[in-house]
Short mmCIF file of all heavy atoms in Angstrom, two decimals:
data_model
loop_
_atom_site.label_atom_id
_atom_site.label_comp_id
_atom_site.label_asym_id
_atom_site.label_seq_id
_atom_site.Cartn_x
_atom_site.Cartn_y
_atom_site.Cartn_z
N PRO A 1 0.79 -1.23 -0.01
CA PRO A 1 -0.03 0.00 0.01
C PRO A 1 0.82 1.26 -0.03
O PRO A 1 0.46 2.26 -0.65
CB PRO A 1 -0.82 -0.13 1.33
CG PRO A 1 -0.98 -1.59 1.47
CD PRO A 1 0.33 -2.18 1.06
N ALA A 2 1.98 1.28 0.69
CA ALA A 2 2.78 2.49 0.72
C ALA A 2 3.27 2.85 -0.64
O ALA A 2 3.33 4.07 -1.01
CB ALA A 2 4.00 2.26 1.69
N PHE A 3 3.58 1.90 -1.53
CA PHE A 3 4.02 2.18 -2.90
C PHE A 3 2.87 2.66 -3.73
O PHE A 3 2.98 3.64 -4.48
CB PHE A 3 4.63 0.93 -3.53
CG PHE A 3 5.98 0.55 -2.97
CD1 PHE A 3 6.08 -0.37 -1.90
CD2 PHE A 3 7.15 1.09 -3.47
CE1 PHE A 3 7.31 -0.74 -1.42
CE2 PHE A 3 8.38 0.73 -2.96
CZ PHE A 3 8.49 -0.17 -1.96
N TYR A 4 1.71 1.99 -3.60
CA TYR A 4 0.53 2.47 -4.38
C TYR A 4 0.14 3.88 -3.97
O TYR A 4 -0.23 4.71 -4.84
CB TYR A 4 -0.67 1.53 -4.07
CG TYR A 4 -0.54 0.11 -4.63
CD1 TYR A 4 -0.78 -0.99 -3.82
CD2 TYR A 4 -0.22 -0.11 -5.96
CE1 TYR A 4 -0.70 -2.26 -4.33
CE2 TYR A 4 -0.11 -1.38 -6.46
CZ TYR A 4 -0.38 -2.49 -5.65
OH TYR A 4 -0.28 -3.76 -6.16
N GLN A 5 0.20 4.14 -2.70
CA GLN A 5 -0.23 5.50 -2.19
C GLN A 5 0.73 6.57 -2.66
O GLN A 5 0.27 7.73 -2.92
CB GLN A 5 -0.32 5.46 -0.66
CG GLN A 5 -1.44 4.59 -0.12
CD GLN A 5 -1.21 4.21 1.33
OE1 GLN A 5 -0.23 4.56 1.95
NE2 GLN A 5 -2.21 3.51 1.89
N GLN A 6 1.99 6.30 -2.75
CA GLN A 6 2.95 7.32 -3.15
C GLN A 6 3.00 7.54 -4.61
O GLN A 6 3.25 8.68 -5.06
CB GLN A 6 4.35 6.93 -2.67
CG GLN A 6 5.42 8.05 -2.85
CD GLN A 6 6.72 7.67 -2.20
OE1 GLN A 6 6.85 6.66 -1.52
NE2 GLN A 6 7.70 8.51 -2.41
N ALA A 7 2.69 6.53 -5.47
CA ALA A 7 2.83 6.69 -6.89
C ALA A 7 1.71 7.50 -7.49
O ALA A 7 0.70 7.78 -6.84
CB ALA A 7 2.85 5.32 -7.53
N ASP A 8 1.88 7.96 -8.78
CA ASP A 8 0.89 8.76 -9.43
C ASP A 8 0.09 7.94 -10.46
O ASP A 8 -1.07 8.24 -10.69
CB ASP A 8 1.59 9.94 -10.15
CG ASP A 8 2.19 10.90 -9.16
OD1 ASP A 8 1.45 11.76 -8.61
OD2 ASP A 8 3.41 10.83 -8.91
N VAL A 9 0.75 6.96 -11.08
CA VAL A 9 0.05 6.07 -12.02
C VAL A 9 0.59 4.65 -11.84
O VAL A 9 1.78 4.44 -11.71
CB VAL A 9 0.33 6.58 -13.51
CG1 VAL A 9 -0.26 5.57 -14.50
CG2 VAL A 9 -0.21 7.92 -13.75
N PHE A 10 -0.38 3.75 -11.95
CA PHE A 10 0.01 2.32 -11.92
C PHE A 10 0.02 1.81 -13.36
O PHE A 10 -1.03 1.86 -14.06
CB PHE A 10 -0.97 1.48 -11.12
CG PHE A 10 -0.65 0.02 -11.05
CD1 PHE A 10 0.41 -0.39 -10.27
CD2 PHE A 10 -1.31 -0.93 -11.79
CE1 PHE A 10 0.77 -1.74 -10.21
CE2 PHE A 10 -0.95 -2.26 -11.74
CZ PHE A 10 0.08 -2.68 -10.96
N VAL A 11 1.17 1.38 -13.81
CA VAL A 11 1.32 0.95 -15.23
C VAL A 11 1.29 -0.60 -15.27
O VAL A 11 2.07 -1.25 -14.57
CB VAL A 11 2.66 1.47 -15.82
CG1 VAL A 11 2.68 1.13 -17.29
CG2 VAL A 11 2.73 2.99 -15.61
N PHE A 12 0.40 -1.12 -16.08
CA PHE A 12 0.21 -2.54 -16.19
C PHE A 12 0.40 -2.94 -17.67
O PHE A 12 -0.53 -2.93 -18.46
CB PHE A 12 -1.19 -2.90 -15.75
CG PHE A 12 -1.43 -4.35 -15.58
CD1 PHE A 12 -0.90 -5.09 -14.53
CD2 PHE A 12 -2.23 -5.06 -16.51
CE1 PHE A 12 -1.16 -6.44 -14.36
CE2 PHE A 12 -2.46 -6.45 -16.32
CZ PHE A 12 -1.90 -7.10 -15.26
N PRO A 13 1.65 -3.30 -18.06
CA PRO A 13 1.95 -3.59 -19.48
C PRO A 13 1.62 -4.96 -19.97
O PRO A 13 1.73 -5.25 -21.17
CB PRO A 13 3.44 -3.32 -19.56
CG PRO A 13 3.95 -3.72 -18.20
CD PRO A 13 2.88 -3.35 -17.23
N SER A 14 1.20 -5.86 -19.05
CA SER A 14 0.95 -7.23 -19.47
C SER A 14 -0.18 -7.33 -20.47
O SER A 14 -1.19 -6.64 -20.41
CB SER A 14 0.60 -8.09 -18.23
OG SER A 14 0.24 -9.37 -18.61
N ARG A 15 -0.01 -8.30 -21.39
CA ARG A 15 -1.07 -8.59 -22.36
C ARG A 15 -1.63 -9.99 -22.17
O ARG A 15 -2.45 -10.45 -22.99
CB ARG A 15 -0.47 -8.46 -23.79
CG ARG A 15 -0.11 -7.06 -24.24
CD ARG A 15 0.50 -7.09 -25.59
NE ARG A 15 0.81 -5.71 -26.10
CZ ARG A 15 -0.02 -4.94 -26.75
NH1 ARG A 15 -1.26 -5.36 -27.00
NH2 ARG A 15 0.34 -3.76 -27.17
N THR A 16 -1.16 -10.73 -21.16
CA THR A 16 -1.52 -12.11 -21.01
C THR A 16 -2.20 -12.46 -19.70
O THR A 16 -2.55 -13.60 -19.49
CB THR A 16 -0.30 -12.99 -21.13
OG1 THR A 16 0.68 -12.64 -20.13
CG2 THR A 16 0.38 -12.84 -22.51
N ASP A 17 -2.43 -11.51 -18.80
CA ASP A 17 -3.08 -11.83 -17.51
C ASP A 17 -4.57 -12.06 -17.72
O ASP A 17 -5.23 -11.38 -18.54
CB ASP A 17 -2.84 -10.71 -16.52
CG ASP A 17 -1.48 -10.80 -15.83
OD1 ASP A 17 -0.48 -10.65 -16.54
OD2 ASP A 17 -1.46 -11.05 -14.63
N THR A 18 -5.10 -12.95 -16.94
CA THR A 18 -6.53 -13.25 -16.96
C THR A 18 -7.33 -12.17 -16.21
O THR A 18 -8.50 -11.91 -16.45
CB THR A 18 -6.89 -14.62 -16.41
OG1 THR A 18 -6.41 -14.70 -15.09
CG2 THR A 18 -6.24 -15.70 -17.24
N PHE A 19 -6.71 -11.55 -15.23
CA PHE A 19 -7.41 -10.59 -14.37
C PHE A 19 -6.47 -9.46 -13.95
O PHE A 19 -6.55 -8.35 -14.38
CB PHE A 19 -8.03 -11.24 -13.15
CG PHE A 19 -9.00 -10.37 -12.40
CD1 PHE A 19 -10.31 -10.33 -12.78
CD2 PHE A 19 -8.56 -9.58 -11.35
CE1 PHE A 19 -11.19 -9.47 -12.06
CE2 PHE A 19 -9.44 -8.76 -10.63
CZ PHE A 19 -10.73 -8.72 -11.05
N GLY A 20 -5.50 -9.78 -13.11
CA GLY A 20 -4.59 -8.78 -12.58
C GLY A 20 -5.08 -8.21 -11.26
O GLY A 20 -5.65 -7.14 -11.23
N LEU A 21 -4.87 -8.98 -10.13
CA LEU A 21 -5.27 -8.50 -8.84
C LEU A 21 -4.63 -7.19 -8.48
O LEU A 21 -5.23 -6.41 -7.75
CB LEU A 21 -4.96 -9.54 -7.80
CG LEU A 21 -5.89 -10.75 -7.73
CD1 LEU A 21 -5.40 -11.75 -6.66
CD2 LEU A 21 -7.31 -10.33 -7.40
N VAL A 22 -3.42 -6.97 -8.97
CA VAL A 22 -2.73 -5.71 -8.60
C VAL A 22 -3.47 -4.52 -9.15
O VAL A 22 -3.32 -3.39 -8.58
CB VAL A 22 -1.27 -5.76 -9.18
CG1 VAL A 22 -0.41 -6.71 -8.37
CG2 VAL A 22 -1.27 -6.11 -10.66
N LEU A 23 -4.25 -4.65 -10.17
CA LEU A 23 -5.09 -3.52 -10.63
C LEU A 23 -6.07 -3.11 -9.54
O LEU A 23 -6.23 -1.93 -9.31
CB LEU A 23 -5.85 -3.97 -11.91
CG LEU A 23 -5.05 -4.35 -13.16
CD1 LEU A 23 -5.97 -4.89 -14.24
CD2 LEU A 23 -4.29 -3.12 -13.64
N LEU A 24 -6.75 -4.05 -8.93
CA LEU A 24 -7.67 -3.74 -7.89
C LEU A 24 -6.94 -3.16 -6.66
O LEU A 24 -7.45 -2.24 -6.02
CB LEU A 24 -8.44 -4.99 -7.46
CG LEU A 24 -9.53 -5.51 -8.44
CD1 LEU A 24 -10.19 -6.76 -7.89
CD2 LEU A 24 -10.53 -4.44 -8.72
N GLU A 25 -5.76 -3.74 -6.33
CA GLU A 25 -5.00 -3.19 -5.20
C GLU A 25 -4.63 -1.74 -5.42
O GLU A 25 -4.77 -0.89 -4.50
CB GLU A 25 -3.78 -4.04 -4.96
CG GLU A 25 -4.08 -5.48 -4.54
CD GLU A 25 -2.86 -6.37 -4.47
OE1 GLU A 25 -1.74 -5.85 -4.82
OE2 GLU A 25 -2.95 -7.52 -4.03
N ALA A 26 -4.14 -1.43 -6.63
CA ALA A 26 -3.78 -0.08 -6.93
C ALA A 26 -4.98 0.85 -6.85
O ALA A 26 -4.92 1.93 -6.23
CB ALA A 26 -3.14 -0.01 -8.34
N MET A 27 -6.12 0.45 -7.48
CA MET A 27 -7.28 1.28 -7.50
C MET A 27 -7.88 1.47 -6.07
O MET A 27 -8.42 2.46 -5.72
CB MET A 27 -8.33 0.72 -8.42
CG MET A 27 -7.90 0.79 -9.92
SD MET A 27 -9.23 0.33 -11.04
CE MET A 27 -9.52 -1.34 -10.58
N GLY A 28 -7.72 0.38 -5.23
CA GLY A 28 -8.12 0.50 -3.85
C GLY A 28 -7.44 1.60 -3.10
O GLY A 28 -8.02 2.25 -2.20
N CYS A 29 -6.19 1.87 -3.49
CA CYS A 29 -5.42 2.95 -2.91
C CYS A 29 -5.59 4.27 -3.60
O CYS A 29 -4.91 5.25 -3.30
CB CYS A 29 -3.93 2.59 -2.90
SG CYS A 29 -3.53 1.15 -1.87
N GLY A 30 -6.55 4.30 -4.57
CA GLY A 30 -6.80 5.53 -5.30
C GLY A 30 -5.80 5.79 -6.42
O GLY A 30 -5.81 6.91 -6.96
N LEU A 31 -5.03 4.78 -6.85
CA LEU A 31 -4.00 4.97 -7.85
C LEU A 31 -4.58 4.65 -9.24
O LEU A 31 -4.98 3.49 -9.50
CB LEU A 31 -2.83 4.07 -7.56
CG LEU A 31 -1.61 4.16 -8.52
CD1 LEU A 31 -1.00 5.55 -8.55
CD2 LEU A 31 -0.57 3.14 -8.16
#
């Protein structure tokens, strides 16, 4: 959470993930 909270944009370059839990984690922190 400390990394998500400090960052300005979460970049997710993967083209092969079925979901990407980290997307939800980042958005949960408002990123």
Side-chain angles (χ1 to χ4, degrees):
F3 288 93
Y4 292 131
Q5 292 162 357
Q6 188 174 353
D8 294 279
V9 174
F10 181 73
V11 186
F12 190 73
S14 174
R15 293 177 177 272
T16 59
D17 278 65
T18 57
F19 191 88
L21 283 177
V22 287
L23 296 173
L24 288 181
E25 294 175 355
M27 293 188 298
C29 295
L31 181 62

